[in-house]
């Protein structure tokens, strides 16, 4: 999905730092479910990509003469977007029943609908599979909003656009749920790609990717490209949304070099954040603030989520450096949308954000810099006269989460074999949404006072959306 250059959205830069911060915590993450449901009437603008310089670490490429892994077959095997999640088609049972499964690097259970539900079109019928075996164990996973209960079993699973071969996998057959399946989604289960420590009911339930590595003999590495650029379309047939490459990396999906940060604990994909900058201003917080109680990379989380103290510091720094001083607090906490007259995009009034990650060489770090075109996100067009935006960052009581807001700019390598995560500039990082029409009724508009830039930003208004429109989560996380 490459496009010619115009405006730089994602910048990938690297620096050397000597500070050491040891702040590791282990408290389960709680994330809220989202219910965005927008139409697919969008326009995409071409953007410039920025080349990377090498850190000398190289790549973890798979060498598989047997043909088990063909990376090109896995290109564009994902559909969806950050608003409702990215999913892959899988074939489950004998004969195979095809279902769309949400890809989530922040959980470890492979769970599929095994009973009818009003928000899904089909489900895995265990009675129709001659190879399904229940092991008699029940499993119940409760989320901050929503939960499901079911029965553990095993069956054969294959991925049409994945590694060649059929694998026997632990499956949680979801028999009942509340708030897990949402209106407008196009997936019927969840594929947890994290480590056994997060598996429910306990770590004896081997996660999907562990089984694939063991049974097919592919390298213990996968890589993920997410190309939805924040779009949340309501159409049933979604365009290709990215790629999940199992067994290595596909060079055509990124530009420049891959920079790696260590995985400091194998449960979530936990990393170490050294500092954040707003513009060129260092927040000057203790690094423990950034890693309290953990910092993880999670494909299932929509926004960039920051610990409360870090979030407040970021908002304060943006407010001080932005050319717009009088924003409603509702914009920052996600309960209101900021709207301008059409054509008056607000990005030039906001600073860039930078996240510094420790490099595999512990005396170095690199930074991921996100320009405002990404974190000031187009959401809805109201009665044809306004362009509205949401704040793509939210506060979290349970750790820092590098979610889709950041990941959509990069090709992310989950190199489990060498216990490291890699970031390279994604070839689809040049996509941005200029306009998205909301499928819901127009929310109530409330005028706000502007500073001297009123003449430049005409008739800015704050829109109070429905509750469903301001939640930021689609995939699930256990309590």
């Amino acid at each position: 999905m490459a496009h010619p250059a115009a405006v730089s959205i994602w910048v990938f830069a690297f620096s050397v730092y000597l500070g050491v911060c040891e702040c590791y915590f282990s408290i389960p993450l709680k994330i809220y479910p989202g219910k965005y449901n927008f139409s697919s009437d969008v326009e995409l603008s071409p953007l410039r990509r920025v080349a990377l310089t090498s850190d000398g670490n190289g790549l973890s490429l798979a060498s598989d003469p047997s043909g088990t892994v063909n990376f090109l077959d896995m290109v564009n095997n994902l559909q969806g977007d950050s608003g409702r999640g990215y999913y892959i088609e899988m074939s489950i049972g004998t004969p195979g029943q095809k279902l769309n499964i949400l890809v989530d690097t922040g959980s470890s259970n492979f769970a599929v609908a095994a009973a009818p539900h009003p928000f899904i079109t089909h489900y895995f019928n265990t009675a129709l599979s001659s190879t399904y075996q229940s092991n008699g164990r029940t499993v119940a996973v409760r989320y901050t909003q929503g939960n499901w209960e079911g029965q553990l079993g095993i069956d054969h699973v294959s991925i049409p656009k994945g590694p060649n071969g059929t694998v026997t996998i632990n499956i949680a057959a979801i028999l009942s749920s509340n708030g897990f399946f949402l209106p407008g989604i196009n997936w019927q289960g969840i594929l947890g790609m994290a480590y056994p420590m997060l598996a429910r009911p306990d770590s004896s339930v081997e996660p999907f990717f562990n089984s694939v590595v063991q049974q097919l003999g592919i390298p213990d590495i996968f890589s993920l490209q997410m190309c939805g650029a924040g779009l949340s379309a309501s159409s049933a047939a979604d365009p290709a949304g990215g790629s999940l490459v199992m067994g290595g990396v596909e060079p055509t999906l990124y530009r420049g070099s891959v920079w790696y940060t260590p995985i400091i604990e194998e449960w979530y994909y936990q990393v170490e954040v050294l500092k954040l900058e707003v513009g060129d201003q260092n927040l000057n917080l203790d690094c423990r603030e950034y890693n309290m109680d953990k910092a993880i990379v999670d494909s299932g989380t929509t926004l960039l989520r920051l610990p409360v103290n870090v979030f407040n510091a970021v908002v304060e720094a943006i407010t001080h450096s932005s050319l717009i001083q009088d924003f409603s607090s509702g914009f920052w906490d996600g309960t209101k949308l900021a709207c301008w007259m059409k054509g008056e995009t607000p990005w030039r009034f906001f600073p860039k954000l930078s996240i510094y990650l420790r490099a595999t060489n512990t005396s170095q770090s690199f930074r991921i810099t996100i320009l405002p075109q990404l974190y000031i996100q187009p959401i809805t067009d109201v009665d044809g006269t306004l362009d509205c935006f949401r704040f793509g960052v939210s506060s979290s009581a349970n750790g820092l989460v590098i979610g889709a807001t950041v990941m959509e700019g990069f090709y992310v390598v989950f190199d489990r074999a060498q216990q490291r995560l890699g970031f390279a500039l994604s070839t689809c990082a040049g996509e941005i949404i200029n306009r998205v029409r909301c499928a819901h009724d127009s929310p109530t508009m409330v005028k706000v006072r502007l500073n001297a830039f009123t003449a430049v930003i005409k008739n800015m208004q704050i829109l109070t959306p429905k509750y469903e429109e301001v939640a930021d989560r689609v995939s699930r996380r256990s309590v």
Side-chain angles (χ1 to χ4, degrees), residues 193-211:
M193 297 289 287
Y195 292 99
M197 187 182 297
L198 294 184
R200 300 291 185 267
D202 55 57
S203 60
S204 68
V205 179
E206 184 176 70
F208 173 88
F209 192 66
N210 292 62
S211 298

Side-chain angles (χ1 to χ4, degrees), residues 37-41 81 84 87 184-186 232-239:
N37 184 21
F38 298 111
S39 77
S40 57
D41 183 13
D81 53 66
R84 293 173 305 162
Y87 57 86
I185 63 169
N186 197 24
S232 186
S234 62
S235 61
D238 293 330

Side-chain angles (χ1 to χ4, degrees), residues 60-78:
S60 298
L61 294 169
S63 176
D64 184 28
S66 69
T68 301
V69 179
N70 184 342
F71 297 156
L72 290 176
D73 287 346
M74 304 184 207
V75 172
N76 292 333
N77 60 1
L78 296 182

Side-chain angles (χ1 to χ4, degrees), residues 14-76:
F14 313 94
S15 305
V16 176
Y17 286 86
L18 301 177
V20 175
C21 174
E22 304 207 356
C23 28
Y24 309 146
F25 302 87
S26 302
I27 300 176
L29 180 68
K30 300 177 183 177
I31 301 297
Y32 292 91
K35 298 182 180 179
Y36 283 101
N37 184 21
F38 298 111
S39 77
S40 57
D41 183 13
V42 301
E43 298 174 1
L44 300 177
S45 293
L47 304 171
R48 178 168 57 87
R49 298 180 186 84
V50 181
L52 311 182
T53 58
S54 174
D55 67 349
N57 285 333
L59 299 174
S60 298
L61 294 169
S63 176
D64 184 28
S66 69
T68 301
V69 179
N70 184 342
F71 297 156
L72 290 176
D73 287 346
M74 304 184 207
V75 172
N76 292 333

Side-chain angles (χ1 to χ4, degrees), residues 273-291:
V273 175
L274 299 181
K275 70 173 183 176
L276 267 69
E277 290 179 344
V278 175
D280 295 322
Q281 174 189 346
N282 185 354
L283 294 183
N284 289 320
L285 297 176
D286 189 294
C287 72
R288 291 175 178 81
E289 296 279 2
Y290 302 120
N291 299 280

Side-chain angles (χ1 to χ4, degrees), residues 191-312:
L191 175 59
M193 297 289 287
Y195 292 99
M197 187 182 297
L198 294 184
R200 300 291 185 267
D202 55 57
S203 60
S204 68
V205 179
E206 184 176 70
F208 173 88
F209 192 66
N210 292 62
S211 298
V212 171
V213 170
Q214 180 179 352
Q215 295 177 41
L216 296 184
I218 67 173
D220 193 8
I221 175 176
F222 66 90
S223 47
L224 187 59
Q225 182 192 57
M226 300 156 62
C227 296
L231 171 64
S232 186
S234 62
S235 61
D238 293 330
S243 304
L244 172 61
V245 177
M246 299 185 192
V249 302
E250 170 50 51
T252 62
L253 299 180
Y254 67 92
R255 293 173 176 266
S257 300
V258 180
W259 282 71
Y260 289 98
T261 185
I263 299 172
I264 64 174
E265 187 173 349
E266 295 179 338
W267 58 323
Y268 297 99
Y269 292 99
Q270 183 176 351
V271 298
E272 185 178 9
V273 175
L274 299 181
K275 70 173 183 176
L276 267 69
E277 290 179 344
V278 175
D280 295 322
Q281 174 189 346
N282 185 354
L283 294 183
N284 289 320
L285 297 176
D286 189 294
C287 72
R288 291 175 178 81
E289 296 279 2
Y290 302 120
N291 299 280
M292 185 180 299
D293 52 22
K294 61 189 159 293
I296 66 173
V297 178
D298 179 7
S299 66
T301 296
T302 301
L303 305 183
L304 169 62
R305 295 180 63 87
L306 302 175
V308 175
N309 289 345
V310 179
F311 176 79
N312 291 338

